[in-house]
Amino acid sequence: MGQTALVSADVWTSVVTVVAALSLAAWLWLLLARGFFWRTDVRLPAREEPDAWPSVCVVVPARDEAAVLPESLPSLLAQDYPGRAEVFLIDDGSTDGTGELACELARRHEGLPLTVASPGEPPAGWTGKLWAVRHGIGLARAREPEYLLLTDADIAHAPDSLRGLVSAARTGGFDVVSQMARLRVESVWERLVVPAFVYFFAQLYPFRWIGGGRARSRDGRGRGERKGTRTAAAAGGCVLLRADAAERARIPDAIRHAVIDDVALARAVKGTGGRVWLGLAERVDSVRPYPRLHDLWRMVSRSAYAQLRHNPLVLAGTVLGLALVYLVPPAAVLAGLAAGQGPAALLGAAAWLVMAGTYLPMLRYYRQPLWLAPLLPFTAFLYLLMTVDSAVQHYRGRGAAWKGRTYARPDAVPGEGRAG
């Protein structure tokens, strides 16, 4: 019996060592072959101010946003933009006086003209936010703008934000220029979860892989193909979109079912030959607070299973992948030390070190203490649970939720697949 136990222990040690080696190999691949996703230097590209500034319409879907509007809307109205620009705030059935507050803020703050409108309840087959966006784009088209800025009601923009977005789009020939707004990090849970949220997003959609497609001259006409990857993504809080590209891609009608509307928008534009750029923001910030773990949990779980196309096999693979990449390293260290097996502990420690090292730039970007980096496995475990909970809610018939509405139907974007 003693010999059998010894053999079993040897087998267990071998398994732990092999799994730890696989985890380390995965981290080396992520470090070097995943578009350097962990770097945070993808910011607005070099740009030149145009001789003539194009017209822009800003569309803001808003549902029960009275708590954040005083911090965000004045920043839009105060945009220092040399061309013609105006703001359309679409009050999507708010019950907290969002529309009235927006009008009051416009009276108090001089700046861009503001139109407040309501689209009514969305028809079957539309998510509420995209129905509001559609109504706003419809109003904007009467002004014949060259660009549309789609921005959320909780996003505060620096005075030169619109100017920088338009300059970057014109200089680079981009049909979509999107910035990942810097989210709020003040509470304990925000500090633990929010930087990891952006880190995981960049791992799924490496910013360096997103550029490409048909290059355009500054007057908007095509000038040949530029090689790029199929990866497409945007950050819904700040998306500058060429109006003609929106028409070609049938935005938002083509993505009316999408819960993850920003990624779906980028895919639709890229699928019609458009060029997309996404990077981290320097002066575009979300003012929405997530003080409790429950608040962050709802933010992630409402769309996590939609991200996996509501596919149980993809969910299982995701759970196994998260466990291998994020949970195995600390587990191997602890198991190796407990069993006195140096190779397993060393392999786990090496993988953990690479993991923490790739997280450091994101912590610096969010101005957070670097000692949070070794805690990434714990945060990843929380995200694993949020993803599983998202699937559980889906199969209970609750679906994804946004501002009090529940959408049981999955994303139905034609040809949609989860690009990396």
Side-chain angles (χ1 to χ4, degrees):
M1 181 177 293
Q3 187 175 1
T4 302
L6 183 60
V7 171
S8 299
D10 289 340
V11 170
W12 170 249
T13 300
S14 299
V15 169
V16 172
T17 302
V18 169
V19 174
L22 288 174
S23 183
L24 177 59
W27 271 111
L28 293 175
W29 178 80
L30 288 170
L31 176 69
L32 301 174
R34 191 64 185 166
F36 296 102
F37 76 93
W38 43 272
R39 294 183 59 171
T40 57
D41 56 351
V42 181
R43 310 294 173 89
L44 275 181
R47 55 197 183 273
E48 299 175 5
E49 294 195 345
D51 296 329
W53 290 90
S55 61
V56 182
C57 286
V58 183
V59 176
V60 186
R63 180 175 171 84
D64 293 334
E65 298 286 14
V68 296
L69 275 186
E71 293 185 72
S72 60
L73 185 58
S75 73
L76 279 175
L77 302 177
Q79 285 300 297
D80 177 19
Y81 186 69
R84 179 168 61 88
E86 59 182 302
V87 180
F88 294 86
L89 186 140
I90 310 304
D91 182 8
D92 181 21
S94 299
T95 59
D96 66 349
T98 289
E100 294 82 356
L101 176 59
C103 293
E104 175 61 27
L105 290 170
R107 285 191 289 269
R108 275 192 251 155
H109 300 272
E110 295 183 1
L112 302 184
L114 172 72
T115 298
V116 177
S118 177
E121 283 298 307
W126 281 85
T127 62
K129 179 181 177 181
L130 285 173
W131 179 245
V133 169
R134 184 182 192 272
H135 190 71
I137 290 177
L139 294 175
R141 281 186 176 136
R143 311 296 202 268
E144 298 183 341
E146 187 171 342
Y147 289 95
L148 300 163
L149 175 61
L150 311 181
T151 185
D152 288 343
D154 65 307
I155 302 300
H157 293 257
D160 61 347
S161 174
L162 181 57
R163 190 174 187 140
L165 288 165
V166 171
S167 297
R170 301 283 283 189
T171 301
F174 295 107
D175 296 280
V176 172
V177 173
S178 179
Q179 289 186 290
M180 176 74 73
R182 200 189 303 259
L183 305 178
R184 200 187 88 143
V185 282
E186 294 182 14
S187 73
V188 171
W189 287 111
E190 286 171 341
R191 293 173 186 274
L192 187 65
V193 174
V194 165
F197 175 82
V198 181
Y199 172 89
F200 293 143
F201 184 93
Q203 193 175 84
L204 281 173
Y205 306 104
F207 297 160
R208 283 176 170 76
W209 287 2
I210 290 172
R214 181 180 295 278
R216 296 183 180 277
S217 61
R218 293 180 190 177
D219 60 6
R221 294 191 293 269
R223 65 179 188 206
E225 294 292 326
R226 180 177 297 183
K227 185 177 179 180
T229 72
R230 296 178 59 188
T231 304
C238 180
V239 178
L240 184 75
L241 171 66
R242 283 187 64 94
D244 59 355
E247 290 189 23
R248 284 195 308 273
R250 297 176 52 246
I251 301 295
D253 295 61
I255 61 172
R256 61 187 180 277
H257 302 303
V259 175
I260 310 173
D261 52 274
D262 42 13
V263 174
L265 180 151
R267 284 198 177 123
V269 171
K270 204 164 190 179
T272 56
R275 294 191 65 213
V276 177
W277 183 91
L278 171 64
L280 293 172
E282 294 177 348
R283 303 180 68 196
V284 177
D285 302 288
S286 172
V287 298
R288 191 184 306 284
Y290 294 97
R292 303 170 300 166
L293 177 60
H294 174 71
D295 302 315
L296 291 159
W297 194 289
R298 284 196 308 169
M299 178 190 74
V300 175
S301 65
R302 79 173 184 88
S303 60
Y305 198 40
Q307 181 79 24
L308 305 180
R309 296 171 293 162
H310 302 93
N311 188 318
L313 293 179
V314 177
L315 173 65
T318 299
V319 170
L320 290 175
L322 285 171
L324 174 67
V325 172
Y326 290 99
L327 306 185
V328 164
V333 170
L334 295 176
L337 292 176
Q341 297 298 324
L346 287 174
L347 288 168
W352 200 352
L353 182 63
V354 176
M355 180 200 314
T358 63
Y359 194 38
L360 291 177
M362 189 62 69
L363 290 174
R364 291 194 186 98
Y365 171 73
Y366 272 98
R367 305 181 185 95
Q368 296 304 300
L370 301 186
W371 57 260
L372 289 172
L375 300 182
L376 187 56
F378 172 72
T379 306
F381 180 63
L382 290 178
Y383 275 90
L384 187 155
L385 296 178
M386 294 174 194
T387 303
V388 172
D389 181 59
S390 179
V392 170
Q393 298 305 319
H394 171 77
Y395 289 113
R396 286 181 175 176
R398 298 179 185 177
W402 184 75
K403 292 290 181 180
R405 290 195 181 108
T406 299
Y407 308 106
R409 180 171 180 168
D411 280 359
V413 183
E416 183 175 0
R418 286 294 127 193

